Amino acid sequence: MRATLRRGLCTASQLSHVDGALPKMVDVGAKGETRRSAIAEVAVRFPPDIYAGIFGVRLSPKPNPNPKPSPNLDSRPSLGRNPDPSPNPTPNPDPKEGQALEAAAGPKGPILATSTIAAVQAAKKTSDLIPFCHPLPLERCDVQYERLSPDPNPGVRIQVTAACSGKTGVEMEALTAASVAALTIYDMCKAVTHDMHIT
């Protein structure tokens, strides 16, 4: 996850949470309530074989430009999710991919269901974690997942949309929820691999 300051360098006097040398909570009492919303995204990437095993992607080999005859292997028993191993596997579209993604489970249980619960809990607890965030009455915290194609490794994109009616923005709630969702996926899968990358 990446945050970018687009207005260039700033001084301490321009930071609303700094009063001289001391931090402070911004007074939003004079502001009117408006509808606020924010979207945050984060990606978790896995080694291809681990991703296939956890998230149920069927893998097929890349086309061979010089195919060679091979014996009939139809009678071989299928082992696992990848009966046709290849040194260069690529995802093969499957109409059940969406269902498999949501149904993914690891040693600790359902991965994305747990991640969703963690994200919503984190959004509601943002003001307890970030010192000068105002407590907000969240009206929405929606968590969506999407497969990511290998770049170089496959993964899952998490998108969190947070919204409320209030006097201050809700972007910290969205960012916190997305961060905790990604960390939860890591925690749910670390018994299988530590080679995960969160961006």
Side-chain angles (χ1 to χ4, degrees), residues 1-157:
M1 186 178 297
R2 191 175 297 172
T4 304
L5 183 63
R6 297 182 179 178
R7 295 182 179 176
L9 298 176
C10 61
T11 63
S13 62
Q14 296 174 289
L15 300 174
S16 59
H17 285 293
V18 177
D19 183 10
L22 296 176
K24 68 172 184 178
M25 176 176 276
V26 175
D27 184 357
V28 297
K31 291 185 175 182
E33 286 195 357
T34 57
R35 179 68 174 173
R36 310 276 185 145
S37 65
I39 298 174
E41 290 185 353
V42 63
V44 185
R45 292 189 180 272
F46 299 79
D49 56 336
I50 300 296
Y51 179 81
I54 293 176
F55 293 100
V57 178
R58 294 180 181 177
L59 299 179
S60 61
K62 292 182 178 179
N64 186 352
N66 300 306
K68 296 180 180 179
S70 60
N72 186 354
L73 302 178
D74 291 342
S75 60
R76 287 191 308 173
S78 175
L79 300 177
R81 288 194 175 97
N82 185 13
D84 188 13
S86 167
N88 297 305
T90 56
N92 181 32
D94 183 346
K96 295 184 179 179
E97 275 193 355
Q99 178 182 352
L101 183 64
E102 299 300 329
K108 292 186 175 183
I111 296 170
L112 300 189
T114 306
S115 173
T116 299
I117 294 170
V120 175
Q121 286 183 325
K124 294 190 292 185
K125 290 288 187 180
T126 299
S127 62
D128 292 336
L129 300 171
I130 312 297
F132 297 112
C133 280
H134 295 79
L136 295 177
L138 280 178
E139 297 167 354
R140 179 188 180 192
C141 184
D142 182 57
V143 187
Q144 299 291 329
Y145 301 93
E146 178 187 3
R147 292 187 186 277
L148 291 174
S149 58
D151 186 26
N153 288 341
V156 176
R157 176 185 287 114

